[in-house]
Amino acid sequence: MSTYRDFTLTHRGSARGTVLRTIGTRERRSHLTAPRVPTVGIDIGGTKVMAGVVDADGIILEKIRAETPDKSKSPKVVEDTIVELVLDLSDRHDVHAVGIGAAGWVDADRSRVLFAPHLAWRDEPLRDALQSRLVVPVMVDNDANTAAWAEWRFGAGRGEDHLVMITLGTGIGGAILEGGQVKRGRFGVAGEFGHMQVVPGGHRCPCGNRGCWEQYSSGNALVREARELAAADSPVAHDIIARVGGNVSEITGPLITELAREGDAMCVELLEDIGQWLGVGIANLAAALDPSCFVIGGGVSAADDLLIGPARDAFRRHLTGRGYRPEARIAKAQLGPEAGMVGAADLARLVARRFRRATRRRVERYERYAQWGLIDSPATADRKAADTKAAEAKAADPATADPTTADLTDGDTQ
């Protein structure tokens, strides 16, 4: 496997060098439209790694996925999975950059994953590790940031100058966009809204604190409440108990949403509770950030108005200065589970643009130096390299060596 990869990377690297040299002469475009080249987006979660080739309009040209290796394995195992997916896609597409959306804290330079709760990444230099193996430039960001960028560019947040995204999954993630830029904070970890404490002394959170927002409005909170009612054999839980055959551990968020759509009273009420807590948190964020739009994404948002309707009602009730200030729009995300992947690819396109600019400048500087005679031109350098290689091969083979050299090698040297 290593032989094939080394061969592939060597040839892809030289091919891409030619492409970069050609594209470098094109007219500069705005950062939102150029370069219009395909890039790969990677969305890394606790259970799956999704990779896709995305064009400049946010359209997914091809998508593949793999299971996330067990978190007890070394970080390199996950990196190997990412590399395999990218190389697979590169066999069929001309990939110019790779963007990574990681479920974890990413530093302000977008190079290291400081901490990933579902993976064995602790201050992991992910960008450099992948870039050295993939040849093309690599961008790393938090998955909520990449999802928010995708919704702002192509989805529910188009046209908004001040946008906040809330991702409801196992926990709560978030991101802030203002004036076309993701606000990452001084240390790169802004947007961890799920760990705002809303109930002092409340439910214990895996982060170590109590009463975090995600303990009351997330997929985990929804499932926890349903399982507690089922374990207590509550009369309101009989339908869901029957659906899982009495196996409480099989109660999941999608099952609760499905039963709520069918009219199950307990499931409808649980989603209303989650939605109300969502609205309270959004009202707090509105007081602090005053955005024009909140986009709600993540797996739990699939409940649609069963969740977002109660959230809007609670938001209006708890909004500071209600009745005397404009209200932010609350919208469901449009791009679904692919948002993080699409956003990562689009952000990587901007990195590819900067990379190509730098490459173009290096090429132009090199060519100027060659014209001034300070260094050899590419053709001269290639010819000298070929001559050197031929001389080395000749010296290494006694059968084709100079007679004088052969005499010195095989005969007496008195």
Side-chain angles (χ1 to χ4, degrees):
M1 183 175 71
S2 59
T3 303
Y4 167 78
R5 179 172 294 128
D6 293 341
F7 173 85
T8 303
L9 290 178
T10 300
H11 287 266
R12 284 179 183 161
S14 59
R16 282 196 173 83
T18 304
V19 170
L20 292 173
R21 187 184 283 257
T22 303
I23 295 176
T25 61
R26 294 181 182 175
E27 183 181 356
R28 291 164 56 181
R29 303 182 180 96
S30 111
H31 78 286
L32 293 181
T33 59
R36 297 186 65 82
V37 294
T39 51
V40 168
I42 308 281
D43 186 14
I44 306 171
T47 59
K48 68 175 177 12
V49 180
M50 184 189 303
V53 179
V54 182
D55 70 11
D57 298 313
I59 297 172
I60 300 171
L61 305 179
E62 185 181 354
K63 179 179 67 175
I64 56 178
R65 59 180 290 172
E67 297 302 314
T68 304
D70 186 85
K71 66 180 181 180
S72 65
K73 297 179 181 177
S74 71
K76 187 176 181 300
V77 176
V78 182
E79 292 166 11
D80 289 344
T81 302
I82 295 170
V83 169
E84 291 294 341
L85 293 175
V86 174
L87 292 182
D88 187 5
L89 291 169
S90 297
D91 286 337
R92 297 176 294 282
H93 303 273
D94 185 19
V95 175
H96 288 251
V98 175
I100 309 289
W105 291 5
V106 178
D107 71 355
D109 293 333
R110 286 182 285 169
S111 62
R112 308 177 77 87
V113 180
L114 302 176
F115 173 74
H118 304 295
L119 297 167
W121 283 340
R122 304 293 183 269
D123 197 27
E124 180 68 21
L126 182 61
R127 183 188 66 188
D128 293 343
L130 291 175
Q131 196 160 279
S132 65
R133 300 175 66 182
L134 293 174
V135 181
V136 296
V138 175
M139 184 281 311
V140 178
D141 208 338
N142 172 266
D143 58 348
N145 288 343
T146 62
W149 179 266
E151 291 292 340
W152 177 71
R153 288 274 282 124
F154 310 111
R158 280 176 294 184
E160 300 288 351
D161 285 334
H162 297 78
L163 177 147
V164 170
M165 184 161 186
I166 311 293
T167 56
L168 300 179
T170 302
I172 295 180
I176 307 163
L177 273 86
E178 184 176 333
Q181 290 187 333
V182 178
K183 299 299 181 181
R184 298 179 175 85
R186 171 63 183 84
F187 303 107
V189 295
E192 293 295 334
F193 306 137
H195 299 290
M196 300 186 302
Q197 290 178 295
V198 297
V199 180
H203 291 296
R204 177 72 73 182
C205 180
C207 78
N209 292 326
R210 287 187 178 273
C212 292
W213 186 25
E214 70 175 37
Q215 292 303 304
Y216 300 88
S217 184
S218 67
N220 270 355
L222 180 67
V223 172
R224 182 192 66 227
E225 296 295 315
R227 288 180 178 178
E228 285 181 1
L229 286 168
D233 200 24
S234 169
V236 300
H238 282 175
D239 286 347
I240 199 167
I241 291 172
R243 181 65 68 94
V244 297
N247 189 348
V248 174
S249 64
E250 292 184 6
I251 295 176
T252 62
L255 175 60
I256 296 168
T257 300
E258 179 186 341
L259 289 174
R261 288 196 177 115
E262 294 173 3
D264 182 87
M266 182 198 78
C267 294
V268 169
E269 183 178 338
L270 289 177
L271 283 169
E272 286 178 350
D273 289 345
I274 298 296
Q276 288 171 7
W277 276 111
L278 176 61
V280 169
I282 290 175
N284 290 338
L285 290 173
L289 302 173
D290 191 30
S292 59
C293 176
F294 287 95
V295 176
I296 313 301
V300 182
S301 69
D304 299 321
D305 279 344
L306 290 167
L307 172 82
I308 296 179
R312 290 193 179 106
D313 293 341
F315 171 70
R316 295 188 184 101
R317 288 197 306 272
H318 294 274
L319 181 63
T320 302
R322 50 194 174 277
Y324 296 95
R325 59 174 287 175
E327 291 184 6
R329 180 170 66 94
I330 300 176
K332 182 192 171 185
Q334 294 179 359
L335 301 183
E338 287 86 16
M341 180 184 72
V342 171
D346 201 57
L347 286 167
R349 191 169 288 108
L350 305 185
V351 175
R353 178 172 181 256
R354 292 193 292 271
F355 179 79
R356 295 193 304 176
R357 277 184 175 180
T359 302
R360 181 181 61 199
R361 287 195 293 267
R362 286 196 298 271
V363 170
E364 290 172 349
R365 187 164 57 246
Y366 185 89
E367 289 173 348
R368 279 200 306 271
Y369 289 168
Q371 288 174 356
W372 296 341
L374 299 177
I375 60 174
D376 292 330
S377 67
T380 303
D382 290 344
R383 187 173 61 253
K384 285 185 175 180
D387 291 344
T388 301
K389 187 175 181 181
E392 290 173 349
K394 189 175 183 181
D397 186 357
T400 60
D402 254 1
T404 306
T405 305
D407 288 343
L408 291 174
T409 302
D410 299 325
D412 295 332
T413 57
Q414 331 178 3

